[in-house]
Amino acid sequence: MARLAALAALVLTMAQAPAPKPAADVELWRLDCGGVQVNDLNAFSDTLAYSGQSKRLVASCYLIRHGSDYMLWDTGLPEAVIGQPVSNTDAMSPILTTTIKRQLAQIGVKPEQIGRVGISHYHFDHTGQAAGFPGATLLIGKGDADALSAGKPGTSAEPLKPWFGGGAKIEAIDADKDVFGDGSVTLLNLPGHTPGHHALLVVLKGKGPVLLSGDLAHFRENYDTNGVPPFNTDRAATLASLDRFKKLAGNVKATVILQHEPGDVAKLPAFPASAR
């Protein structure tokens, strides 16, 4: 009798629970946030897999519209890089020719309309233009937020001054995060490259799931062979995150976008067109 009463109570609770919200109209733009001339590709291999090789990478970032809300995912290289010469001798040389704000203006989006800035991790080529959106809530992995707050070696909170010392709203995330509460945009906790590294899953009604990698891997060969850069903060966590990401991509049949791989970024329409 007690079991029946408990079952009846459970059914009643489920019947009274609000129905899941339908996913809002979601749109995804790829933005040009710079590039990197890599003259020593072993910078991304702790097993020296790419001796004598070089590669031109992109530094992509993304605009997401969820209904009437706008979110940036990563913010590329700092505007100060514009006009700097490209080095053919430095291990890595940054390149930037335009800004996020200029691109937003092309599609009629004002900086103050950006309600959230999601950062995959604290490296300068992902945080460079974030400070141009101080009214947004910063979404960042808790491990990264803690490292920035503590001034750990290899970190700098300078590109994120509105949130670290400036009083702007910050949300430090130590797990996955369903950003809008309907499963359409989810930060994925994938540490290893940095302590709080995250990737992003965007579910589009037409194109389907899209996985934006952050810096889980930097280019296809690295991704396919589970390569680990020597500057990652945790090798074992990197490999576990790669395993999770690949299994998730296969299970949901996602389009995988390695954010530094030109061929992957090209899977999305060229700006100002968008994916839906």
Side-chain angles (χ1 to χ4, degrees):
M1 195 69 167
R3 289 179 63 188
L4 287 174
L7 180 59
L10 176 61
V11 171
L12 179 62
T13 299
M14 292 176 66
Q16 292 174 339
K21 293 187 297 182
D25 182 36
V26 179
E27 196 169 0
L28 174 66
W29 289 265
R30 78 186 221 211
L31 303 176
D32 178 359
C33 292
V36 182
Q37 174 60 37
V38 183
N39 296 309
D40 179 6
L41 206 55
N42 272 339
F44 297 103
S45 174
D46 65 3
T47 60
L48 304 180
Y50 307 112
S51 296
Q53 296 185 43
S54 62
K55 190 174 179 68
R56 177 69 66 93
L57 301 178
V58 295
S60 62
C61 50
Y62 302 85
L63 175 69
I64 298 145
R65 181 184 63 78
H66 178 277
S68 59
D69 296 322
Y70 286 93
M71 171 182 169
L72 286 174
W73 175 248
D74 284 338
T75 62
L77 289 158
E79 293 183 12
V81 172
I82 292 177
Q84 289 185 8
V86 180
S87 171
N88 292 316
T89 56
D90 293 347
M92 288 185 273
S93 180
I95 305 156
L96 187 67
T97 59
T98 189
T99 69
I100 293 175
K101 287 183 177 180
R102 288 177 193 165
Q103 292 170 85
L104 295 183
Q106 285 183 249
I107 56 173
V109 177
K110 299 176 181 178
E112 56 268 27
Q113 289 178 262
I114 304 299
R116 295 171 178 85
V117 172
I119 295 295
S120 62
H121 64 292
Y122 53 58
H123 288 157
F124 85 110
D125 56 325
H126 293 258
T127 61
Q129 297 174 57
F133 307 92
T137 298
L138 181 72
L139 307 177
I140 186 171
K142 187 177 186 302
D144 280 20
D146 290 346
L148 290 168
S149 296
K152 291 285 183 68
T155 71
S156 172
E158 185 67 22
L160 301 173
K161 282 177 67 175
W163 300 276
F164 289 87
K169 187 176 179 181
I170 182 170
E171 186 173 350
I173 299 161
D174 61 0
D176 292 353
K177 168 72 176 179
D178 184 347
V179 177
F180 297 102
D182 61 5
S184 61
V185 180
T186 306
L187 271 77
L188 301 171
N189 186 33
L190 295 168
H193 184 63
T194 62
H197 180 272
H198 279 68
L200 194 72
L201 173 63
V202 181
V203 180
L204 302 172
K205 289 181 179 178
K207 190 172 181 65
V210 176
L211 275 167
L212 303 174
S213 68
D215 272 6
L216 182 65
H218 293 79
F219 49 93
R220 270 286 147 183
E221 296 90 343
N222 214 226
Y223 178 76
D224 292 342
T225 60
N226 291 337
V228 179
F231 53 89
N232 278 22
T233 58
D234 190 321
R235 194 178 205 279
T238 300
L239 293 173
S241 292
L242 277 163
D243 181 67
R244 182 195 177 197
F245 184 90
K246 290 180 178 183
K247 286 176 178 174
L248 176 63
N251 288 338
V252 303
K253 296 179 173 55
T255 299
V256 171
I257 308 292
L258 303 181
Q259 291 183 214
H260 284 293
E261 175 60 74
D264 273 24
V265 175
K267 295 174 186 176
L268 296 174
F271 187 85
S274 64
R276 301 180 78 157

